[in-house]
């Protein structure tokens, strides 16, 4: 009797626990169409979404796989989720978006604002917030989706790997959907989004090669959720200097008293930003510290002399300063959008004043005086101590 | 109060007016007498019944011929019971009874018959009537006297030789046992790289001697008993007095005495009679074939049960952690032992959970699989006709078929089976698109991992099915439910009163120094606390 009761209680508990788990969804793997990439363009009916579905290849011994192993479907609709549902009518497999790696938007969609488009990503349980958010410059998103000019033959993986390369040159940004949502909702900061541009590939030799490749240089500047303009590669690095996201890269500066150049590899870079408000004058101080390794020296100088190294450091920090000032000036005058998050500093330091400023902060930012201070330390000169040039 | 009592008695007297105090007293006395008499009669009846039993209480006859005819009748003229009659020089008839094959005939001829005839030659004939003196004529190591036939029969069945001398109502039981037995070799199932190779054999005496050689201590005690109405199997409880947990020992004695069965052919029979939870998948009695392992377990306070006719010796209490321990953990240095323990725990988890997890991930949680792996899996199962759960189930059953046939078949054919299995499953089935390559890999990993914890293999197979079904029906939620049920069950188990998951679940210092980590021997100062209650220190 006792055991009966206990067994009943245990069964009841397990059965009652079943509805607690939320979605119960059994899907055989071979009924799914695994989406690798989604691209949104403006269409005749509002939006036109292109899906790239990866065709799982049966692993076979030998025999080179021909072409790109993906399929495309395209559908129209008034909202993004409607295009998702419309697309299911065109494909024999259930669309499965959890493994989508990139969400592409064409320039014109981005200029009209992304907030409406991104709502479903936040809402739907299958889509991931860690997808790359990409703006396709100068062409439609669909056009950029069939390019895989690297080793990886699946375009979505190719783009994924390509975007991760930003750490070695720092001339682009790698923005995720969640980064956009954070910066869009955050007061005193505006989003910066990855840009990809379809470019003609240099033809080398006569061998067969892809015509186009994707170039990730630069970044898209947003004001709230609207695209207002682009930064090019060096300008993007200027942005990265300020926000402290420079991971690596080469800074090239002219060698003093000669016509050669000095190239320094960035090892570590830090930034420290400060805001000061006196009366109604906003003063922003950007301080950048960089340590690097001398990677190339094309003129004959005595690198073993500490004074020479000091001189190189000076010139180098001047180059960085120019780079940063150029970016700041462009963003302040052309885009009038605080993508650096200076507003957040104000919020932190002057919470009372911020209340009056927050609604027109971007206007205030564009008029703020920004002072840039850079410092470079060259800690190593590589394997050789003297330049090759005699 | 007194008045009330009186009133009560008065009432009785009113009910029974004729009954007086003296008559009641007399009636009670006669009643008591009757009870005493009936008890006496009952005693007499039981004695008569005992005497009526054919063999048990019969005394040894004085004449050789009547002894012989009685024993012939008792053994039902069985072909292997040998009766050997000879006469001494002085003309006294002597009968020797033994079972052919159970005695060492060289010893019997030299130390018993020859010695008896030669020594009795110098003695006067009438001295042969004194049983005390007869003993001196035999040069075997162990000679015992008995006057009951039942003892004679039991001992002859155990391999002793019985000697009857004409005119003496005492039988001499001479120990010159000798029968075919296997050599002490390394057991197949518990092979080691480092450590002793010897293993128990089918002979209980050899086995106890192997243990005695490991523990040269007068506190090592063997309690002999015989179990099985028909087989009369020799069973011995072994323990180290002073270390053993007395509560466990008493429990083992009680459970063994309660066994009422025809036959004990293997310790497995005993195990099934004495185990705590017969309906549990997890065993609560351990067995081993190696004396060093047995000695180590007994030194932690466990009780061993030997059984004649099998190399497997039982030990209780049995804890879960014993499944993960091997003797080499203690012979090798602690770092390696730690790595191996980790490996074994991993293997246990793999062999139980992986098929279920694979199916759960593949059919419910595709988003948890890395993209490239998902694409590989999707590619390999793209044209498989079965749902993932069914595919896995078919393969597990097929694997078990192969494994079982590999064990049962003669060794020469066994290797052929493995080739056939590997070819059919690994190559043809995948190429024909009946199963996916990844399922074959999962089954292979599961199978290999299952062999790493051999003591648990039966439980592992059953739990593997359980988790596969749970994973197929309910995904990861089912797997988690399954883990809950299995852990709850394991924690609720007891082995002779000791919690099954002991150093972990009612945790003590053992979970630190002999669970995943194996402390250096000099740091393991205490015996397992759950088993050992009194003598906790490992030294002295």
């Amino acid at each position: 009797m006792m055991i009966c009761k206990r067994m009943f209680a245990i069964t009841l508990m397990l059965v009652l626990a079943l509805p607690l788990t939320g979605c119960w969804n059994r899907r055989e793997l071979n009924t799914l169409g695994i989406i690798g990439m989604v691209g949104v363009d403006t269409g005749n009916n509002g939006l036109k979404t292109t899906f790239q579905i990866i065709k799982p290849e049966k692993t076979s011994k030998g025999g080179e796989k021909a072409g790109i192993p993906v399929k495309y479907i395209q559908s129209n609709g008034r909202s993004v989720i409607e295009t998702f549902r419309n697309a299911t009518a065109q494909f024999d497999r259930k669309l499965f978006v959890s493994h989508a790696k990139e969400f592409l938007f064409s320039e014109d969609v981005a200029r009209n604002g992304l907030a409406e488009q991104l709502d479903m990503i936040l809402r739907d349980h299958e889509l991931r917030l860690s997808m790359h958010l990409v703006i396709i410059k100068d062409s439609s998103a669909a056009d950029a989706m069939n390019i895989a000019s690297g080793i990886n033959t699946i375009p979505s993986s190719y783009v994924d790997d390509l975007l991760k390369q930003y750490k070695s040159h720092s001339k682009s940004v790698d923005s995720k959907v969640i980064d956009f949502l954070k910066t869009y909702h955050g007061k005193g900061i505006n989003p910066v989004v990855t840009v990809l541009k379809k470019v003609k590939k240099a033809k080398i030799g006569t061998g067969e090669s892809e015509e186009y490749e994707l170039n990730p240089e630069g970044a898209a500047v947003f004001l709230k959720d609207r695209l207002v303009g682009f930064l090019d590669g060096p300008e993007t690095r200027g942005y990265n200097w300020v926000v402290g996201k420079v991971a690596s890269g080469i800074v090239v500066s002219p060698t003093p008293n000669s016509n050669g150049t000095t190239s320094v590899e960035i090892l570590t870079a830090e930034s420290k930003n400060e805001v000061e408000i006196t009366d109604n004058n906003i003063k922003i101080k950007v301080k950048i510290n960089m340590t690097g390794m001398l990677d190339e020296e094309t003129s004959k100088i005595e690198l073993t002399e500490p004074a020479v190294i000091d001189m190189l450091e000076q010139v180098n920090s001047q180059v960085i300063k120019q780079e940063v000032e150029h970016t700041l000036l462009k963003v302040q005058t052309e885009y009038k959008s605080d993508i650096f998050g200076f507003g957040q500093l104000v919020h932190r330091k002057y919470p009372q004043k911020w209340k009056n400023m927050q609604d027109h902060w971007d206007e205030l930012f564009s008029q703020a005086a920004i002072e840039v201070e850079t410092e470079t330390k060259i800690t190593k000169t590589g394997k050789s101590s003297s330049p090759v040039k005699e | 109060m007194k008045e009330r009592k009186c009133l009560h008695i008065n009432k009785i007297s009113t009910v029974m007016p004729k009954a007086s105090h003296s008559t009641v007293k007399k009636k009670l006395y006669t009643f008591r007498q009757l009870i005493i008499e009936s008890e006496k009669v009952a005693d007499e009846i039981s004695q008569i019944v005992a005497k009526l039993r054919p063999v048990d209480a019969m005394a040894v006859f004085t004449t050789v011929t009547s002894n012989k005819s009685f024993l012939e009748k008792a053994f039902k003229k069985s072909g292997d019971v040998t009766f050997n009659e000879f006469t001494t020089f002085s003309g006294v008839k002597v009968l020797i009874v033994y079972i052919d094959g159970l005695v060492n005939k060289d010893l019997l001829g030299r130390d018993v018959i020859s010695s008896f005839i030669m020594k009795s030659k110098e003695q006067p004939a009438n001295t042969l009537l004194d049983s005390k003196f007869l003993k001196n004529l035999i040069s075997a190591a162990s000679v015992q006297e008995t006057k009951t036939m039942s003892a004679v029969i039991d001992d002859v069945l155990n391999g002793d030789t019985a000697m009857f001398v004409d005119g003496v109502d005492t039988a001499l039981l001479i120990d010159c046992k000798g029968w075919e037995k296997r050599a002490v070799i390394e057991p197949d199932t518990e092979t080691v790289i480092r450590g002793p190779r010897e293993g128990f054999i089918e002979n209980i005496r050899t086995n106890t001697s192997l243990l005695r050689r490991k523990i040269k201590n007068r506190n090592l005690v063997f309690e002999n008993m015989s179990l099985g109405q028909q087989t009369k199997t020799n069973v011995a409880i072994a323990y180290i007095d002073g270390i053993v947990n007395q509560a466990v020992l008493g429990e083992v004695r009680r459970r063994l005495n309660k066994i009422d069965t025809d036959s004990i052919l293997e310790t497995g029979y005993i195990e099934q009679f004495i185990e705590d939870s017969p309906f549990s998948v997890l065993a609560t009695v351990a067995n081993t074939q190696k004396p060093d392992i047995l000695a180590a377990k007994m030194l932690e306070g466990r009780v061993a049960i030997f059984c004649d006719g099998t190399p497997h010796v039982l030990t209780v209490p049995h804890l879960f952690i014993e499944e993960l321990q091997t003797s080499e953990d203690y012979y090798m240095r602690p770092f390696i032992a730690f790595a191996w323990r980790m490996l074994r725990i991993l293997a246990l988890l793999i062999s139980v959970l992986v098929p279920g997890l694979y199916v759960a991930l593949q059919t419910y949680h595709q988003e948890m699989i890395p993209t490239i792996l998902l694409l590989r899996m999707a590619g390999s199962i793209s044209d498989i006709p079965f749902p993932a759960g069914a595919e896995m189930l078919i393969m597990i059953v097929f694997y078990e078929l192969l494994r079982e046939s590999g064990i049962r078949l003669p060794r020469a054919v066994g290797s052929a089976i493995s080739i056939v299995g590997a070819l059919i499953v690994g190559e043809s089935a995948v190429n024909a698109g009946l199963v996916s390559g990844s399922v074959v890999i999962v089954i292979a990993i599961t199978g290999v991992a299952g062999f790493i914890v051999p003591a648990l293999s039966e439980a592992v197979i059953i739990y593997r099915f359980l988790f596969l079904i749970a994973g197929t029906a309910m995904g990861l939620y089912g797997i988690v439910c399954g883990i809950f049920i299995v852990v709850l069950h394991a924690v609720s188990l007891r082995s002779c009163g000791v919690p099954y998951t002991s150093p972990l679940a009612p945790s003590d210092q053992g979970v630190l120094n002999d669970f995943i980590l194996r402390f250096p021997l000099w740091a393991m100062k205490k015996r397992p606390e759950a088993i050992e209650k009194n003598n906790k220190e490992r030294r002295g």
Side-chain angles (χ1 to χ4, degrees):
Chain A
M1 198 55 206
M2 192 62 197
I3 289 173
C4 255
K5 247 183 191 172
R6 201 182 283 175
M7 288 301 283
F8 177 73
I10 290 170
T11 331
L12 194 71
M13 263 150 66
L14 288 177
V15 170
L16 285 178
L18 273 171
L20 295 177
T21 54
C23 308
W24 186 90
N25 204 356
R26 182 171 177 278
R27 315 162 279 207
E28 284 295 330
L29 196 47
N30 49 15
T31 62
L32 295 180
I34 299 157
I35 293 177
M37 207 193 265
V38 182
V40 182
D41 289 301
T42 45
N44 44 11
N45 200 3
L47 293 171
K48 183 174 75 183
T49 308
T50 314
F51 300 92
Q52 181 192 85
I53 298 150
I54 306 166
K55 203 167 76 189
E57 285 293 315
K58 199 163 164 57
T59 42
S60 54
K61 293 160 222 152
E64 196 66 26
K65 282 179 235 164
I68 299 169
V70 289
K71 301 246 175 189
Y72 294 94
I73 46 174
Q74 204 166 49
S75 65
N76 291 296
R78 277 159 300 173
S79 65
V80 182
I81 193 70
E82 193 188 1
T83 59
F84 269 67
R85 274 302 147 98
N86 288 344
T88 55
Q90 292 161 259
F91 203 65
D92 62 339
R93 294 276 169 96
K94 190 180 180 323
L95 296 179
F96 180 64
V97 261
S98 284
H99 281 275
K101 291 204 186 305
E102 296 91 14
F103 216 87
L104 312 184
F105 287 99
S106 68
E107 203 181 317
D108 44 349
V109 176
R111 284 203 190 272
N112 289 329
L114 286 184
E116 298 95 345
Q117 270 56 275
L118 291 179
D119 183 77
M120 67 86 70
I121 299 185
L122 189 62
R123 209 170 288 283
D124 194 88
H125 71 277
E126 269 188 11
L127 281 150
R128 293 190 179 197
L129 291 177
S130 60
M131 280 189 293
H132 298 282
L133 184 65
V134 181
I135 307 298
I136 302 296
K137 196 177 170 187
D138 296 343
S139 67
S140 71
D143 276 351
M145 281 171 68
N146 67 335
I147 300 170
S149 69
I151 300 291
N152 213 324
T153 52
I154 302 167
S156 72
S157 306
Y158 160 70
V159 174
D160 186 36
D161 293 347
L162 189 68
L163 293 181
K164 281 177 189 161
Q165 292 291 327
Y166 89 96
K167 280 186 177 166
S168 54
H169 53 75
S170 302
K171 285 181 179 173
S172 65
V173 292
D174 182 14
S175 69
K176 307 282 170 68
V177 173
I178 189 158
D179 297 331
F180 184 91
L181 294 174
K182 270 194 214 158
T183 46
Y184 168 58
H185 284 292
K187 296 265 193 245
I189 187 164
N190 281 316
V192 177
V193 175
T194 316
V195 166
L196 281 176
K197 193 178 171 190
K198 187 176 172 183
V199 292
K200 259 220 155 61
K201 202 171 185 179
K203 196 154 177 101
I204 293 154
T206 51
E208 198 189 323
S209 68
E210 297 92 346
E211 260 186 290
Y212 292 100
E213 62 185 1
L214 291 172
N215 181 4
E217 254 193 39
V221 178
F222 278 67
L223 179 60
K224 296 295 162 198
D225 67 326
R226 275 162 211 275
L227 174 68
V228 288
F230 295 97
L231 298 175
D232 66 7
E235 286 162 0
T236 308
R237 194 165 77 178
Y239 161 79
N240 281 333
W241 282 120
V242 178
V243 295
K245 277 187 185 163
V246 170
S248 186
I250 302 289
V251 179
V252 183
S253 57
T255 313
N257 310 327
S258 75
N259 48 8
T261 56
T262 310
S263 304
V264 177
E265 188 189 333
I266 304 158
L267 294 178
T268 62
E270 285 170 359
S271 73
K272 198 170 162 57
N273 305 333
E274 266 178 45
V275 183
E276 224 166 84
I277 302 179
T278 47
D279 303 328
N280 273 333
N281 296 329
I282 301 164
K283 205 174 162 194
I284 299 168
K285 268 190 196 166
V286 175
K287 194 163 187 283
I288 294 160
N289 277 320
M290 191 271 264
T291 57
M293 180 178 107
L294 188 71
D295 244 14
E296 194 183 80
E297 174 57 60
T298 59
S299 61
K300 186 182 182 306
I301 47 171
E302 198 54 55
L303 287 174
T304 47
E305 285 286 323
V308 174
I309 297 290
D310 282 351
M311 198 168 65
L312 291 180
E313 284 173 349
Q314 289 256 317
V315 178
N316 191 279
S317 70
Q318 279 305 311
V319 169
I320 297 170
K321 191 177 176 184
Q322 279 166 18
E323 209 172 276
V324 172
E325 278 175 341
H326 175 69
T327 307
L328 286 168
L329 191 70
K330 186 172 183 182
V331 173
Q332 266 188 311
T333 55
E334 255 184 68
Y335 303 138
K336 295 185 173 136
S337 162
D338 179 11
I339 51 176
F340 307 99
F342 294 134
Q344 293 182 329
L345 297 177
V346 178
H347 188 186
R348 249 174 258 154
K349 200 168 174 184
Y350 306 100
Q352 292 304 321
K353 285 183 183 168
W354 174 248
K355 276 180 189 164
N356 303 324
M357 287 177 169
Q358 59 178 351
D359 292 328
H360 55 289
W361 167 252
D362 285 310
E363 196 60 37
L364 291 172
F365 159 74
S366 65
Q367 281 144 22
I370 304 180
E371 192 181 289
V372 181
E373 196 182 307
T374 54
E375 202 188 325
T376 300
K377 271 216 163 68
I378 296 173
T379 53
K380 307 166 190 175
T381 58
K383 283 196 291 183
S384 93
S385 57
S386 55
V388 173
K389 184 153 181 172
E390 292 276 315
Chain B
M1 285 298 271
K2 265 185 183 175
E3 277 176 10
R4 273 200 183 171
K5 258 187 183 172
C6 289
L7 274 174
H8 206 68
I9 293 166
N10 285 344
K11 262 185 187 170
I12 289 172
S13 58
T14 50
V15 172
M16 295 172 69
K18 284 178 186 173
S20 71
H21 181 72
S22 60
T23 49
V24 170
K25 204 176 175 185
K26 247 182 209 170
K27 273 182 182 171
L28 277 174
Y29 180 74
T30 47
F31 191 52
R32 197 178 291 156
Q33 288 298 311
L34 268 174
I35 290 172
I36 290 167
E37 266 179 36
S38 63
E39 271 174 4
K40 271 182 189 166
V41 171
D43 270 357
E44 275 173 22
I45 289 171
S46 65
Q47 275 172 20
I48 289 164
V49 167
K51 272 184 187 166
L52 280 176
R53 281 200 188 140
V55 179
D56 284 5
M58 195 65 84
V60 175
F61 302 99
T62 41
T63 58
V64 160
T65 41
S66 51
N67 275 329
K68 188 182 177 186
S69 63
F70 177 83
L71 283 174
E72 268 177 351
K73 219 175 127 195
F75 283 116
K76 317 259 193 272
K77 299 205 167 162
S78 178
D80 59 343
V81 183
T82 312
F83 296 89
N84 182 13
E85 261 181 274
F86 61 91
T87 45
T88 59
F89 285 103
S90 52
V92 179
K93 261 201 213 166
V94 179
L95 172 69
I96 276 179
V97 186
Y98 61 91
I99 293 179
D100 202 8
L102 291 190
V103 296
N104 185 339
K105 284 190 187 164
D106 288 347
L107 273 183
L108 184 67
R110 194 185 68 209
D111 292 348
V112 181
I113 302 173
S114 166
S115 149
F116 190 84
I117 293 173
M118 296 320 284
K119 281 186 181 170
S120 65
K121 191 178 171 185
E122 294 138 23
Q123 310 297 331
N126 61 344
T127 52
L128 291 183
L129 293 174
D130 186 357
S131 64
K132 296 262 171 8
F133 181 73
L134 281 176
K135 259 173 119 175
N136 299 337
L137 301 180
I138 299 161
S139 35
S142 157
V143 183
Q144 284 178 330
E145 298 168 37
T146 183
K147 294 203 175 192
T148 56
M149 271 302 182
S150 63
V152 171
I153 290 170
D154 281 353
D155 273 33
V156 168
L157 284 172
N158 264 325
D160 282 350
T161 306
M163 179 188 262
F164 301 94
V165 181
D166 222 6
V168 183
D169 63 346
T170 306
L172 297 179
L173 299 171
I174 305 146
D175 181 5
C176 53
K177 294 190 186 85
W179 52 71
E180 292 304 318
K181 59 187 179 194
R182 203 158 56 97
V184 175
I185 55 161
E186 184 175 17
D188 280 343
T189 52
E190 288 171 270
T191 47
V192 288
I193 295 166
R194 180 167 183 176
R197 300 281 194 274
E198 60 186 10
F200 289 126
I201 59 165
E202 283 75 7
N203 185 344
I204 190 170
R205 270 302 139 236
T206 313
N207 292 352
T208 54
S209 71
L210 284 172
L211 181 64
R212 180 70 80 177
R213 285 221 307 265
K214 296 268 175 215
I215 307 170
K216 298 179 197 70
N217 185 339
R218 63 187 173 79
N219 286 329
L220 173 63
V221 183
F222 295 100
E223 279 180 16
N224 290 333
M225 59 199 299
S226 85
L227 288 178
Q229 302 287 328
Q230 299 292 334
T231 57
K232 303 253 194 296
T233 312
N234 291 329
V235 172
I237 306 173
Y239 57 90
I240 301 173
D241 194 30
I243 293 178
V244 73
N245 182 340
Q246 289 295 335
V248 173
L249 180 60
E251 186 63 28
V252 169
R253 278 198 198 116
R254 196 180 65 79
R255 288 184 191 179
L256 282 181
N257 285 328
K258 271 190 156 181
I259 293 178
D260 180 21
T261 182
D262 259 7
S263 56
I264 299 290
L265 296 180
E266 213 269 342
T267 37
Y269 281 52
I270 301 173
E271 180 180 343
Q272 287 167 49
F273 278 105
I274 66 166
E275 68 186 336
D276 291 62
S277 0
F279 297 110
S280 171
V281 178
L282 299 164
T284 46
V285 179
N287 65 71
T288 181
Q289 289 192 63
K290 301 202 69 183
D292 54 327
I293 295 174
L294 184 68
K297 287 189 175 184
M298 288 175 66
L299 286 164
E300 287 188 342
R302 292 189 178 82
V303 177
I305 302 164
F306 287 82
C307 171
D308 202 11
T310 176
H312 295 274
V313 178
L314 301 182
T315 53
V316 280
H318 175 52
L319 309 181
F320 171 74
I321 183 64
E322 285 172 59
E323 317 273 23
L324 301 174
Q325 293 167 332
T326 65
S327 57
E328 278 169 299
D329 286 355
Y330 302 92
Y331 303 152
M332 297 278 200
R333 301 181 61 239
F335 307 103
I336 299 163
F338 164 66
W340 285 358
R341 287 266 170 94
M342 292 292 285
L343 202 66
R344 261 175 244 135
I345 291 169
L346 182 73
L348 184 65
L349 291 178
I350 286 177
S351 62
V352 171
L353 292 178
V354 162
L357 270 180
Y358 176 84
V359 173
L361 286 181
Q362 195 189 303
T363 52
Y364 291 93
H365 314 281
Q366 290 92 351
E367 62 276 0
M368 288 175 74
I369 309 171
T371 308
I372 302 299
L373 180 61
L374 182 75
L375 290 172
R376 280 286 143 72
M377 281 162 62
S380 75
I381 72 154
S382 57
D383 47 2
I384 303 297
F386 309 109
E391 186 190 2
M392 186 65 79
L393 192 68
I394 291 169
M395 285 305 292
I396 286 190
V397 171
F398 194 81
Y399 167 76
E400 291 302 329
L401 284 177
L402 279 179
R403 200 182 61 90
E404 189 67 14
S405 67
I407 297 171
R408 302 296 161 214
L409 278 170
R411 209 153 285 181
V413 192
S415 61
I417 281 293
S418 62
I419 293 166
V420 167
L423 276 180
I424 289 178
V425 179
E427 288 290 323
S428 313
V430 174
N431 286 347
L434 294 177
V435 289
S436 64
S438 41
V439 166
V440 173
I441 294 167
V442 167
I443 292 294
I445 292 170
T446 314
V448 169
F451 287 117
I452 296 180
V453 192
L456 264 178
S457 60
E458 294 122 24
V460 161
I461 290 169
I462 291 167
Y463 282 139
R464 191 183 294 159
F465 275 105
L466 178 90
F467 281 107
L468 176 59
I469 291 162
T472 311
M474 291 187 285
L476 277 185
Y477 174 70
I479 301 263
V480 172
C481 280
I483 291 173
F484 251 106
I485 292 169
V486 171
V487 169
L488 278 180
H489 172 64
V491 168
S492 74
L493 282 182
R494 296 278 184 282
S495 176
C496 284
V498 177
Y500 180 64
T501 48
S502 144
L504 187 67
S507 70
D508 53 52
Q509 42 100 29
V511 74
L512 252 182
N513 64 24
D514 197 12
F515 198 84
I516 290 173
L517 285 176
R518 200 276 284 164
F519 273 24
L521 293 177
W522 44 262
M524 283 165 62
K525 289 180 179 163
K526 284 184 177 167
R527 302 200 168 90
E529 280 178 31
I531 302 172
E532 189 53 61
K533 299 287 183 218
N534 312 316
N535 192 355
K536 285 181 183 165
E537 288 293 321
R538 268 193 206 261
R539 51 211 67 179

